[in-house]
Amino acid sequence: MANTASQKAFVEFERVQKSYDGENLVVKDLNLSMPKGEFLTMLGPSGSGKTTCLMMLAGFETATHGEILLDGQPINNIPPHKRGIGMVFQNYALFPHMTVAENLSFPLEVRKFGKSEREAKIKRALDMVQMGAFGGRRPAQLSGGQQQRIALARALVFEPELVLMDEPLGALDKQLREHMQFEITRLAHDLGITTVYVTHDQTEALTMSDRVAVFDDGRIQQLAPPDQLYEEPENSFVAQFIGENNTLEGVVKSLSGDKCEVQLDGGEVIDAKPVNVKAVGDRTRVSIRPERVEINKDRLQPGAHTLKAEVLEFIYMGDIFRTRLRVAGNDEFVVKTRNAPDQVRLTPGTQIEIGWLPSDCRALDA
Amino acid sequence: MTDTTSNGTMLSADGTPLKVSLARALRRQKIRALMLIAPLLIFVLVTFIVPIASMLFRSVENDIVSNTLPETVQTLAGWDHASGEAPDEAVYEAMYFDMFKAAEAKEHTKLGTRLNYENTGTSSLFRKSGRGLSKIGKTWQKPIESAAKPLKDGETWFAMMSGSGSNAVLEERRVLWQNLTGDPFKGEVGITLSDDMVAMLPKTAAAYADWAIFEALEEEKDISKRDPWEAVYTALGLDLMSQETQAAVASYSGTGAEELRAVIAALDTLPEADFKGAFIDMEDGWADPDVWRTILTYSPAYTSGYFLNAVDMKKSLDGFEARPENQQIYMTLFKRTIWMSIIITTSCILLGYPVAWLLANLPLRSANVLMILVLLPFWTSLLVRTSAWKVLLQDQGVINELLVWLGFVADANRLALMHNQTGTIIAMTHILLPFMILPLYSVMKTIPPTYLRAAKSLGATNWTAFWRVYFPQSVPGIGAGSILVFILAIGYYITPEIVGGTEGIFISNRIAYHISSSLNWGLAAALGSILLAVVLVLYWLYDRIVGIDNVKLGG
Ligand SMILES: Nc1ncnc2c1ncn2[C@@H]1O[C@H](COP(=O)(O)OP(=O)(O)O)[C@@H](O)[C@H]1O
Ligand SMILES: [Mg+2]
């Protein structure tokens, strides 16, 4: 679901700041606007303020400054239980003294639904997460994945328009996590719910979201759809954080429109696409994705830039080969190549020449 | 390395069945674990379980009557206790000899004290009679001695009584002494009773043996040189009054034959065998059938009497009956103890819950300060805390002065906050509060705050979230705290003693009274046992209703 200005914002953060201790800002000047039905993920390292943002939206923390709007209404003064926001907690927070059905019944009871209506809704919610047979169990009698589903069902059973999830899959093993990622996105899209999803796992963010907000240091570093985030990172933090990335440091030598020359610290001069450099003489980090580097000289595309490299390590990973090189003094330069019949397997110590297109090479902030 | 035999049992590598080698390995582990806890186990056993067991045993043990008055108890069995009349002569005669021994060993007052619990006045009856017994004995000794001068002399007696024989009587009497005093009475008495004498003068032989054992082993004297005590003369007089003995003496020619014949010749100078009269002369009380009924009632070695007393009943020969209204105190006390313990536990829950909640939810630093405040009472002596409450609660105390000064109560009607149940409840609630707060706190500490958040995000108000989500999870803490406080309260003693007055005392105060003042340990033990039983029953009920798995002292 694309983000167009014409769509009315459903959730809005306007210049929101948050400090717990009056000394440090945990959230600094947050601006965010989400249309109805969007699946937005907050991605960032631990401690970057994601949970804090979620808690402010849910009403468990108050913004130190700024305004949060839900469907156009400021919600700063609405207590959490009146916001009607569904929430899935990291440890699920299923009430241990209640059965699964009682857990699901809880939000319906406080909303004064009748018995038959409650039962119908509970059944529908449990079926939705394929847990129809587990209504009588206690949370402690369920596996982690099952608890996860129940937590999801409980957050959805009262049909909220907005659902918040704080690292809901953090405790699951890889396979289960991938399965649940799929289920959650499917449910969110089928039900047309607006979702704010928090995670520190970038694959999760990329595979699930309509848009991803990359958090660091209390700020949104970039807010974009997954493909754009990966292919067009706007700063070196995002480039580093999303996917694997090679950086070469240097100084901007010339800058003109969508072209610039960078003199690397090793002395070589390369062409790059200026993304986050302001003037000649600025220090910069040049970012190249490992899969955009070509090691086979014969396949180099016209206009490609070449550099000398020494093979340090070759790792066989099944579907791909991962080769570590020394390039322009950088020992951690990684190249990924597809495992194809004609693909060469490089032995450590070999001197080779590698190349890439200047358009794949982004000059970012230092 | 397992193998399977033809019948399907698993074998371990060396061919023994797997189950056997597993059991052996586990047993070794268990023994090692047991050895590790052995010091504590022995300590607990010796210092805790044994005393409690012996205390419980005391609540039914009652061999003092049969040990002190062994022959009386036997003779008394034939008495028709419903006749309304005192028993006949034989009982009084047995009583004379039993009491004589008991008086010599100074055991008769103990029995008096014991029977006094059941029948007031018995104590002084026994005490006074102890002194009168030798007077009765003298009335026999004097005429015998004047009829046969050599019998004045212990050496004559020794020569007359000793001879050859099995000494069975001596050993029999030794056991009776052991029972009476609890002392071992081991060692050589220095005499072998002549079997002929035992056959001819049975009562005399028994009385002489009694004396000889006591004289030789307790007083550590050489019995061949000492004069026997009065009861021996009495026994001789009684023996010689029987026709059979007189015939035997006539044909007897051993040592003392002459003297015995001389006494028989002077039989008319001896008093009549009327111990009943003598006892009643000495103390009117001995004519009272109630005294004898009491002795009979308590003659078995085990009695339910203490327990009946402890529930305001009275043991009688036909079973048991309720005590008169004005003597019923224990049931009231038990009910009061339980009721007030419930009130105290409830107030501890009401006051302790919010504090525990704060402790579990405040930031660490403030929580630590609060924790110190909660623990502060533990650092002060219980006596000091209770006395402090005395200062606060008394008529002229801080609270009353404040209320009067503020004009809330008139000077003339100051609140009676002490020497009644109010005082006990206030002071004990305060003293036991930490025992409620600590388990509550440790349980609340394990309830993650996300549950409350989750409840609120699901639409619950603060109150609903607390009541339906937080509270149920804190119930194990309430359970643990309540059990702790209730069990401590039900056995509390110092605080009710100091601030309780007569209205506010607990059953424990009564137990303490019986242990240290009235010395009725049996009753104290019975009261204690009932208290223990009450606690166990309540515990069982709690387990049935709430489930003991629902008690947590922490995560
Ligand atoms: N209740 C709180 N009190 C004080 N500081 C907090 C509190 N919650 C979070 N913080 C701080 O705020 C920062 C951001 O935390 P958080 O929002 O939980 O990050 P994230 O969810 O991205 O890991 C962290 O440095 C954390 O220590
Ligand atoms: Mg977080």
Side-chain angles (χ1 to χ4, degrees), chain A residues 60 81 85 94 97 109 111, chain B residues 451 453 457-458 460 468:
Chain A
F60 297 121
H81 68 272
I85 298 176
L94 294 175
H97 57 292
E109 279 166 43
R111 286 182 172 73
Chain B
Y451 286 132
R453 291 190 162 182
S457 82
L458 293 171
R468 299 231 9 225

Side-chain angles (χ1 to χ4, degrees), chain A residues 3 31-34 38 40-42 210-215 220-226 228-229 234 238:
Chain A
N3 166 39
N31 292 289
L32 183 73
S33 168
M34 274 178 81
E38 187 180 44
L40 182 130
T41 298
M42 294 177 170
D210 295 323
R211 281 194 303 162
V212 179
V214 181
F215 270 65
I220 294 184
Q221 301 288 339
Q222 187 170 357
L223 174 59
Q228 199 180 337
L229 206 59
E234 276 169 12
V238 177

